[in-house]
Amino acid sequence: MTENIWQQYETRLLRVLEYIHAHLDEDLDLEKLGEIACLSSYHWHRIYRAVHGETAAQTIRRLRLHRAATELVETRKSVSAIAARAGYPNLQSFTRTFGAAYGLPPAAYRERGKTVYPTAQSEEASAMYEVTIKTIKPMHLVGLAHRGPYPEIGATFAQLGVLGGSRGLFARMKGSVALYYDDPDVVPAEKLRSLAAIWVDAPECVEPPLEAAIIEGGDYAMLRHVGPYSDLHKAYGWLYGTGLPSLGRPISDAPCFEDYVNDPKNTPPAELITDIYVPLA
């Protein structure tokens, strides 16, 4: 159950992923997803897990918790409303599940998310962040364009996983990265441009909707962030406000990128590692 299955069921699995991401607010019946995939319940569950490394139910739970974490930090919605939207029948069950995944109960997670960016002199900054200069070689990418809010790029990565698997790219995969072309403080969320990509060992000739890209070699400011993706905005705030000025190097006119060191499907959110790279002139 490897590449042959992915090739055979690429279109069906992409259709299911699109449906899941578009209907997270609804009761996502697993048998209904099997119908969308046009597969029997027996084969459907096995194929989905073989391709994605997790069950459809685990995907849905993970995506809803990720969205809830983002809403806790970025909105003023009540915790009860966020819990209900995530599909939990009561606040207690949501608090228990969220706490187990993110290491803090929802209210405490929200309060921590409101913390202002630490200054360069603070002990918190020293403990949380460190920026270094790293020289990298050119990186060849195969990616899938994402248009819209950056926190929603996970849906595009899921599609890329199906396409990359069905087209035999994972054998040459060296990592998973995302290129970000626009400043979210300037460009409207719905117009933000990014690229969900896998890093391969040599240039690839690809067919649409996949596209080839390259990250130029050279010096980059690198910050390692450990924790949920919903906390990345704080790392960026510190990096641009304090970390980069401390280096005394101008920034190059090229996009920043994130290198995802581990996999959110099998890593607790508190242990996710993201290396942020900003090109230096």
Side-chain angles (χ1 to χ4, degrees):
M1 297 179 73
T2 53
E3 288 183 7
N4 288 337
I5 280 185
W6 291 19
Q7 292 167 356
Q8 185 176 359
Y9 296 116
E10 175 184 293
T11 301
R12 300 182 186 189
L13 290 171
L14 288 174
R15 190 163 62 234
V16 170
L17 285 173
E18 182 179 353
Y19 186 88
I20 288 174
H21 283 88
H23 296 83
L24 275 179
D25 289 327
E26 301 175 14
D27 181 17
L28 287 169
D29 179 74
L30 298 182
E31 299 307 316
K32 171 67 174 178
L33 295 179
E35 293 175 7
I36 293 171
C38 298
L39 294 167
S40 71
S41 59
Y42 177 80
H43 294 296
W44 152 243
H45 294 297
R46 287 174 175 262
I47 291 170
Y48 187 95
R49 185 163 191 166
V51 171
H52 293 288
E54 63 182 356
T55 66
Q58 288 171 327
T59 296
I60 294 166
R61 174 181 173 274
R62 177 172 55 82
L63 292 175
R64 285 174 172 168
L65 283 178
H66 172 71
R67 184 180 64 182
T70 301
E71 289 182 330
L72 285 167
V73 173
E74 297 184 359
T75 76
R76 295 184 177 181
K77 293 180 181 178
S78 70
V79 177
S80 296
I82 293 173
R85 190 183 185 203
Y88 290 85
N90 55 65
L91 188 57
Q92 290 75 19
S93 61
F94 173 67
T95 298
R96 182 171 57 253
T97 303
F98 187 91
Y102 282 80
L104 287 172
Y109 186 86
R110 165 172 276 175
E111 192 61 31
R112 191 190 67 173
K114 293 178 181 177
T115 305
V116 297
Y117 302 132
T119 63
Q121 293 77 25
S122 72
E123 293 182 4
E124 183 181 2
S126 299
M128 290 176 60
Y129 306 124
E130 178 183 2
V131 61
T132 59
I133 296 177
K134 186 173 182 179
T135 302
I136 68 171
K137 295 180 180 180
M139 298 168 62
H140 301 285
L141 308 179
V142 175
L144 196 60
H146 175 75
R147 188 53 117 31
Y150 287 158
E152 296 178 5
I153 197 172
T156 305
F157 267 111
Q159 296 172 358
L160 177 64
V162 174
L163 293 169
S166 68
R167 302 181 189 194
L169 295 173
F170 288 151
R172 297 180 293 283
M173 178 177 170
K174 300 181 70 176
S176 177
V177 303
L179 277 168
Y180 295 100
Y181 299 109
D182 299 310
D183 184 345
D185 291 331
V186 176
V187 177
E190 67 275 8
K191 295 183 179 180
L192 290 170
R193 298 168 302 142
S194 53
L195 184 76
I198 58 174
W199 167 23
V200 292
D201 52 12
E204 292 277 350
C205 293
V206 295
E207 297 180 358
L210 295 176
E211 57 185 77
I214 189 169
I215 294 175
E216 298 294 341
D219 287 350
Y220 284 75
M222 192 273 277
L223 179 150
R224 170 158 289 189
H225 175 269
V226 180
Y229 296 145
S230 55
D231 282 354
L232 280 168
H233 68 288
K234 296 176 67 177
Y236 275 99
W238 182 88
L239 179 59
Y240 278 90
T242 299
L244 289 171
S246 73
L247 295 177
R249 292 277 300 270
I251 301 173
S252 176
D253 185 19
C256 63
F257 70 93
E258 294 174 358
D259 180 10
Y260 305 107
V261 178
N262 44 20
D263 189 340
K265 288 184 290 188
N266 53 35
T267 307
E271 298 175 14
L272 290 171
I273 299 174
T274 307
D275 289 341
I276 301 171
Y277 287 82
V278 177
L280 299 174

